[in-house]
Amino acid sequence: MFIDGVFSGGGMKGIALVGAYETLEERGFRFKRLAGTSAGSIIAALIAAGYTSAEMRSMVEELDEGELLDPRFSFFPLKMLQWASIYWRLGLYKGDRLENWISEKLRRKGVSVFGDFEKGKLKLIASDLTNGKMLVLPDDLPRYGLHPERFSVARAVRMSCSIPYFFEPVKLKSSAGISTVVDGGVLSNFPIWLFTAEKKRPVLGVTLTPCEKERPKKVINNAFELFGALFETMKEAHDARHIATKHERNIIFLPVEEVLSTEFAISAEKKLALIELGKKRTELFLKQWTY
């Protein structure tokens, strides 16, 4: 059965999305259109390129943090380097290795640019801080004087995954100048709205957050907790309001609590646990899903 799929952001928690995909694939679901933000953009791009869940599981099992993280070399002590990287480079890691890893995986399936896909097959979310806009890639690229079909899919994924202060922002050069682009989760971490306005087939979403009634209240007693709550609200409030109105019954919720978004040095045991969580939650969902 053909469906449209949307995958949320969540950093390393996104490994659970592989488990969800595994169950959906086993049950005979195939994706016609895909969308994603941050970690969800990686999953969506790989599925669009033709990767099976078994191939993705192997990728996750073999993945080493060194393949994705590339700190800038410096003679300064580590702590000073970290502050300097954040202050001057705006991130601890460059992001080149992440983009190269994605690019290499996509090339194995014959994918390099968006033109290698059927038109409308893949949509990714990023945040243009320079112009204060949400970016839907590749749809919004003409506004920057860029040709959508010639734009690198790996670069778009990197833009969607550029977690603020963790990865350096992407500098998007265009005829209008240079735009500073970061993680799409800043503005829409779960863009299920992309496909619901023009519904051609069932739309199924997979998100790494709990449903509305299970979402815990935030405790705010100091400035650090206030900043954390502010950032989480900024990421989730827009999408949560959209979900609550119409779409909750078409969403698989995978609440991952024991893994941090930036926990790139994740153990093999945690990887397996995340995949199994995704599988089991999706199996339970499909038992009651009517489409």
Side-chain angles (χ1 to χ4, degrees):
M1 178 180 177
F2 284 107
I3 59 175
D4 293 333
V6 182
F7 296 88
S8 84
M12 292 306 288
K13 297 178 182 182
I15 292 172
L17 299 174
V18 175
Y21 175 42
E22 195 168 302
T23 295
L24 291 168
E25 191 180 47
E26 289 171 356
R27 293 286 294 270
F29 291 98
R30 298 294 180 266
F31 295 96
K32 193 72 174 174
R33 297 185 298 175
L34 292 130
T37 297
S38 199
S41 73
I42 298 176
I43 298 295
L46 293 175
I47 296 174
Y51 275 95
T52 65
S53 59
E55 289 173 315
M56 281 200 214
R57 181 187 273 261
S58 295
M59 274 187 222
V60 169
E61 291 172 351
E62 297 166 4
L63 186 63
D64 179 82
E65 63 171 317
E67 293 183 76
L68 304 180
L69 302 181
D70 44 3
R72 288 191 175 275
F73 178 76
S74 173
F75 293 106
F76 293 114
L78 181 59
K79 288 294 182 184
M80 188 179 293
L81 169 62
Q82 290 177 340
W83 284 110
S85 294
I86 291 174
Y87 188 82
W88 294 109
R89 299 291 183 177
L90 308 180
L92 288 172
Y93 301 96
K94 291 186 286 185
D96 292 343
R97 287 186 186 174
L98 173 64
E99 183 175 346
N100 292 338
W101 182 84
I102 296 163
S103 179
E104 187 270 330
K105 299 301 181 188
L106 292 174
R107 280 200 306 269
R108 289 187 184 182
K109 298 292 187 179
V111 172
S112 177
V113 296
F114 279 96
D116 294 324
F117 292 128
E118 180 184 345
K119 188 175 177 63
K121 176 78 171 180
L122 178 67
K123 297 179 186 289
L124 309 177
I125 299 295
S127 304
D128 176 355
L129 299 187
T130 299
N131 296 293
K133 293 180 179 179
M134 182 188 301
L135 274 178
V136 179
L137 301 166
D139 299 18
D140 292 338
L141 290 172
R143 299 179 186 175
Y144 296 80
L146 300 171
H147 198 295
E149 294 186 354
R150 298 174 193 159
F151 197 80
S152 164
V153 178
R155 171 51 62 101
V157 172
R158 175 182 173 180
M159 290 162 69
S160 185
C161 290
S162 294
I163 302 170
Y165 301 116
F166 191 80
F167 286 116
E168 293 178 15
V170 174
K171 301 296 185 181
L172 180 62
K173 298 178 181 179
S174 69
S175 57
I178 299 176
S179 298
T180 299
V181 180
V182 300
D183 195 302
V186 171
L187 297 176
S188 183
N189 202 45
F190 183 45
I192 196 166
W193 48 268
L194 278 170
F195 295 148
T196 52
E198 184 188 0
K199 189 173 179 181
K200 298 181 177 181
R201 59 194 64 83
V203 177
L204 180 63
V206 189
T207 181
L208 297 162
T209 57
C211 63
E212 184 69 26
K213 62 185 178 184
E214 294 177 349
R215 186 172 289 130
K217 294 184 182 298
K218 296 175 176 64
V219 177
I220 305 170
N221 295 314
N222 55 55
F224 292 105
E225 291 174 348
L226 176 62
F227 179 81
L230 179 67
F231 190 72
E232 288 299 312
T233 301
M234 187 169 56
K235 284 199 321 178
E236 298 173 5
H238 170 270
D239 298 328
R241 185 180 180 90
H242 188 77
I243 290 166
T245 55
K246 326 174 178 178
H247 308 294
E248 192 165 313
R249 68 181 187 86
N250 295 319
I251 296 170
I252 303 168
F253 294 93
L254 308 178
V256 178
E257 299 175 356
E258 57 282 341
V259 174
L260 298 174
S261 296
T262 55
E263 193 176 337
F264 280 75
I266 190 170
S267 67
E269 291 76 19
K270 280 189 175 181
K271 288 179 183 178
L272 180 60
L274 285 171
I275 291 174
E276 289 305 309
L277 170 68
K279 283 181 63 68
K280 290 177 181 177
R281 282 271 182 162
T282 303
E283 288 167 359
L284 288 172
F285 171 86
L286 291 177
K287 287 180 180 178
Q288 51 80 39
W289 189 42
T290 54
Y291 40 83

